[in-house]
Amino acid sequence: MKPYAEMTKEELIALRKELKAQYREMQGKDLRLDMSRGKPSVEQLDLSMGMMDVLSSNDDLTCEDGTDCRNYGVLTGIDEAKELLADMMEVNPDLIIIYGNSSLNVMYDTVSRSMTHGVMGNTPWCKLDKVKFLCPVPGYDRHFAITEYFGIEMINVPMTKDGPDMDMVEELVSTDSAIKGIWCVPKYSNPQGYSYSDETVRRFARLKPAAPDFRIYWDNAYGVHHLYDHDQDHLIEILAECKRAGNPDLVYKFASTSKISFPGSGIACIAASLNNLEDIKRQLKFQTIGHDKVNQLRHVRFFRNIHGMVEHMRRHADIIRPKFEAVEEILERELGGLGIGEWTMPKGGYFISFDSLDGCAKEIVARCKKAGVVMTGAGATYPYGKDPDDRNIRIAPTYPPLGDLITATELFSLCVKLTSVEKLLKTMD
Amino acid sequence: MKPYAEMTKEELIALRKELKAQYREMQGKDLRLDMSRGKPSVEQLDLSMGMMDVLSSNDDLTCEDGTDCRNYGVLTGIDEAKELLADMMEVNPDLIIIYGNSSLNVMYDTVSRSMTHGVMGNTPWCKLDKVKFLCPVPGYDRHFAITEYFGIEMINVPMTKDGPDMDMVEELVSTDSAIKGIWCVPKYSNPQGYSYSDETVRRFARLKPAAPDFRIYWDNAYGVHHLYDHDQDHLIEILAECKRAGNPDLVYKFASTSKISFPGSGIACIAASLNNLEDIKRQLKFQTIGHDKVNQLRHVRFFRNIHGMVEHMRRHADIIRPKFEAVEEILERELGGLGIGEWTMPKGGYFISFDSLDGCAKEIVARCKKAGVVMTGAGATYPYGKDPDDRNIRIAPTYPPLGDLITATELFSLCVKLTSVEKLLKTMD
């Protein structure tokens, strides 16, 4: 089929009729499918069930240093869990604090602490007239939701295949002292699955912020979440790069085991310079006596070490790789060459990003919903839920079973075609 | 032996000599004992080891409503855990949000949210010139640490056997709109082990605060932590009483399973009116996708229901009751009738409170430390660590083995005697 833009009005009208018939047929199937969130599937969760067996009443719940994991104490996490997560985050275990079950919670708490107490001796943000964050777009809705909740002004920075537009980032960060942070998902980014290039990471580490309390919020959520065993993206480790660049305190790095073990029952952590960690610990000791050490120990006993985790992630990849490939095949088969959409083909992470013709995303998502397939809301990948071009849609292939996923993607493709035809016809009126 | 105050100078000098000899002997024993924190003992932790077996890889980790506990979601906790903790807190399950592993963390987050976003539409505290909390004294050091960390001015309110001085509470709360909260441990209070009388609870529920965003921070940490099976304190349930009094939104109630299952690996919760819960959820959804549901399920499968929990607490009591009794016996034997100290004899909770002669507490604790016994720091039971009379010492009998506890209490008694003699001699100079 030829590109829609090259069709005559008559051809488009005929096509619309045909597509509408197909859509009505899909509606008749009474589908109830969900492609909205980046959740692991049941098969993936089953991979971690062994975690329920590694600690039994016959086991000693004592750490290598003699700490009884069952009692109070140990503010920053047990040593063996620090070692495991440090290997996962590619940093020194001394540069880690282990938290509870959610890296989102760690990020929220980091912003909240900066609001009430400031960063390393600087003025608390709540005492400032204006605080701003840079937001590479499209990006992760829950990041943007945190900064919006705290009344922080968000500035869009376009994403490229190599990461955020660094010319813009450097210009803004170096001139505006109200800019206190930037949200980054540097590897297999949410939603595009892009990984920051070496040059991008180096430029991040060499930022010269006007604000002394500016920090890079480096959410390395998909650090070990590769789809392929050999063809993997590699990211320069940001803490080390910042140190080499003479900016050791510039970054907070976040991660968790949510999509490795169990989402909501994993362990999360922050990695940062010793100066930043001291600053964080000064607050943390008022917030808690310590996080869940038994669950930390459970993770260590289950994964044993980083190699065990890598092997485990391979099994995850075996389950989700066919799903990514199925979505990409259907999109190529249904939409390839039509000039009505572009999509990413990531080598890891949890999402595929789709860009429709301008002004079509909301309509496509609404059409999918009316036929029983829930997508992430259009606009969700932008601050304030406002995609200025109304074109980006996040596809989350992991959760549905493969059969459902195929049906859902076919419906999605149909909705893209139908909406695009109507859009093109409207421009002819 | 007669009261020290009735002794002549010569008698006191002779006594001092004798006590010093005893102290030197104790020092020679090279003790290393810790009575500083309210931690369960190893035997108590062993009671909950069955918790490690209730979820295995053969078990279904699905809730009664079909929720897979292993995946994302469920912001406020799974239904069956709400039922268990609601029974523990004596409230309707609809009035509960289950959090992570620490009620201290919940309290911290509650204050932090009030700072940045205010309470139910009122001005965020960080925008106010002055925020104050009432602090019944002696009280819990970690409560006071939170309010101090947020720059909240703390006002001491004397504790009585029936709870805080309610005349003072009513007067202050009704006239000063800067007063936004009061820290309460209403049952088996920390450190005295007092439980608020019916009248006290009723007067709390009928407070007429000048500030619409005033809340009672009701930390019912020891709600099911009785020492005796029949002789138990009973506390009027505060949420219901506030509702009856026409003040449904007046209170936040906190609790956790920290000293029931494993400290640091338990589950914590808040109970409050629906209005308050809505206010809290508006924030919570930005902070997390959900807390650890697998651990919630683990607690439900282990305790089954409130009766299982009560039976479990009986076994805790069997372990710690002899420790409380041993401390009380030694204090009575060594210090009874001497007029140099008073102590409480609680029927539950984790502490015994000791009041020395004025101006002696710091010296007593320092002397204990020099002989190898660590007590909670003198002053810790007061805001800013300042006991105006330097008399209150918190005794935590649960953690050390009984033999150690006896030795430590004997040393403590000796230090009380020696310090008191020196104090009395000083007044004679």
Side-chain angles (χ1 to χ4, degrees), chain A residues 47-80:
Chain A
L47 294 176
S48 299
M49 282 306 284
M51 188 166 283
M52 296 294 102
D53 299 330
V54 290
L55 300 182
S56 80
S57 59
N58 294 319
D59 290 306
D60 186 353
L61 273 56
T62 306
C63 290
E64 287 158 18
D65 74 353
T67 301
D68 189 338
C69 285
R70 305 170 303 172
N71 219 330
Y72 285 114
V74 190
L75 185 64
T76 61
I78 64 174
D79 287 346
E80 42 268 68

Side-chain angles (χ1 to χ4, degrees), chain B residues 172-193:
Chain B
L172 287 168
V173 166
S174 64
T175 54
D176 187 350
S177 65
I179 296 176
K180 303 298 187 187
I182 179 169
W183 288 118
C184 295
V185 183
K187 194 164 173 182
Y188 304 133
S189 69
N190 179 350
Q192 291 162 309

Side-chain angles (χ1 to χ4, degrees), chain A residues 46 53 57 70 117 149 265 292, chain B residues 46 53 57 117 149 265 292:
Chain A
D46 287 344
D53 299 330
S57 59
R70 305 170 303 172
H117 288 81
Y149 177 68
S265 302
D292 186 342
Chain B
D46 287 343
D53 299 330
S57 59
H117 288 80
Y149 177 66
S265 302
D292 186 341

